[in-house]
Structure formats: structure tokens, C-alpha cells
Amino acid sequence: MRIAVYPGSFDPVTNGHLDIIKRSSRLFDKVIVAVLHNASKTPLFTVEEKMDLLSQVTSDIPNVEIDSFSGLLADYVMENKISSIVKGLRAVSDFEYELQMALMNRKLNPDVETIFMMTSGEYSYLSSSIVKEVFKFNGCIKGLVPDEVIDAMKKKVSL
Ligand code: COA
């Protein structure tokens, strides 16, 4: 069974992420979307909330599972019999950092392969932060994130 992991912060999941999840689910038997417990970023959503949103927006893709992890991705890969790490490349600016991570992950776990997928052009300028920024100042984010995410963001600001 070919298992891939698509790791990230997903604060929140955007249509750019969803595009990568959908396309990678056609290439692997199972894709685990793994939310990082990231102490270095101050998130809008908790890990549980991010996982719940990811479950909702991927409910129509049977071979996608949602999980979370902390520590090294290379260890998570080893513990879960994962053969590939899937990452999306949006622009040349992503390349250097992604190359660094892919090479470090290979050094830590020589059996793992990082597969890069080109993000669809319509989402190549997206990031979770830019979505949050636009939302904060009442800009329209429809079409950039799933509707479930817009609802969850509205609930957050009304708290
Ligand atoms: N569409 C839209 N946005 C995308 C995207 C896509 N296809 N792909 C990435 N992004 C955005 C994210 O939304 C995020 O935006 P933000 O910074 O505004 O929040 C940004 O790109 C960075 O993505 P992020 O999900 O934070 O991932 P990352 O590329 O920084 O890497 C891990 C995250 C989990 C893969 C990495 O931190 C990791 O492996 N950590 C575990 C510790 C470890 O093993 N460290 C050694 C690594 S070699």
C-alpha cells in the first residue's frame, strides 16, 4: 500500500491545499493530511479545529485521513509506514526552503521521497496568512477557502 503524508500548519486549510489533497489522493492508496503542532506560529485555530475543518472539506475523498503530529516529520513518516511526503510548490520563492526540507528529511530518513506538486495557477498566490489578513479587514475570501472555513472564521471573530 502506497501511503503519502501531506504535512502543514493548515491555519486554515485553503483551496490551494485542497487542490493538492485532491490531486495527490489520485496518486496514492492513502493520503494522510497531518497537522503540525507548531509552537513557533500563533495560530487562529487549535489543532483540533483545523483537523475538524480538514475532515469536513475532505469528507468526499475516501482515501484521505486526517491526523496531527509533533516533533520531526521524518519520525512521523517512519512510524506510520509512509513512503512519500507530498508538498505543493506555488512559486520559485517556495523552492529553496522546500529543497532544504526535502534534503534534510532524506538525510533523516533515506527511504522517504518528497513529491512536489505544482499548485494550480489560480491558487499560486494564496497562503493561510494572506487569507486571514484579507478576512480581518473585511475583504472577500470566497473561492479562496472552502465555505466551511469562512463560517468557522466568522464564528471565531464573533467570540
Ligand atoms: N496552497 C495555499 N497555501 C499553501 C500551499 C498551497 N498549496 N502550500 C503551502 N501553503 C502556505 C501555507 O498556508 C502556509 O501559509 P502561512 O505561512 O501563511 O501560514 C505556508 O504556505 C507555509 O506552509 P506550512 O503549512 O506552514 O508548511 P511549511 O512548508 O512551513 O512546512 C511542515 C510545514 C510541517 C512540513 C514542516 O514545518 C515540518 O516538517 N515540521 C516538523 C519538524 C521537522 O521535521 N523539521 C525539520 C524539517 S526538514
Side-chain angles (χ1 to χ4, degrees), residues 6-12 14-20 34-36 38 41 69-75 85 87-90 94 97-98 100-105 108 117 119 123 125-130 132:
Y6 179 43
S9 307
F10 303 110
D11 189 48
T14 68
N15 283 343
H17 296 129
L18 201 50
D19 167 55
I20 300 287
V35 180
L36 173 70
N38 191 345
K41 283 189 179 179
F69 76 107
S70 48
L72 285 178
L73 180 63
D75 290 340
I85 299 168
K87 298 296 306 265
L89 274 186
R90 290 165 298 175
D94 280 344
Y97 178 55
E98 291 295 344
Q100 201 181 7
M101 281 200 287
L103 294 181
M104 179 54 87
N105 280 323
L108 295 169
M117 300 190 77
T119 303
Y123 304 128
Y125 63 95
L126 267 191
S127 77
S128 299
S129 307
I130 210 167
K132 285 183 281 191

Side-chain angles (χ1 to χ4, degrees), residues 38-91:
N38 191 345
S40 64
K41 283 189 179 179
T42 313
L44 177 64
F45 292 103
T46 65
V47 170
E48 289 71 27
E49 289 168 335
K50 293 179 201 176
M51 290 175 69
D52 184 48
L53 281 171
L54 279 161
S55 297
Q56 289 180 44
V57 303
T58 59
S59 61
D60 58 334
I61 321 171
N63 60 334
V64 168
E65 270 179 26
I66 314 299
D67 196 10
S68 66
F69 76 107
S70 48
L72 285 178
L73 180 63
D75 290 340
Y76 179 81
V77 162
M78 236 173 296
E79 286 154 16
N80 292 280
K81 300 187 172 61
I82 290 163
S83 57
S84 308
I85 299 168
V86 170
K87 298 296 306 265
L89 274 186
R90 290 165 298 175

Side-chain angles (χ1 to χ4, degrees), residues 44 135-136 152-159:
L44 177 64
F135 180 79
K136 190 165 115 192
M153 289 175 80
K154 283 184 181 155
K155 270 192 204 136
K156 272 274 167 197
V157 296
S158 68
L159 285 178

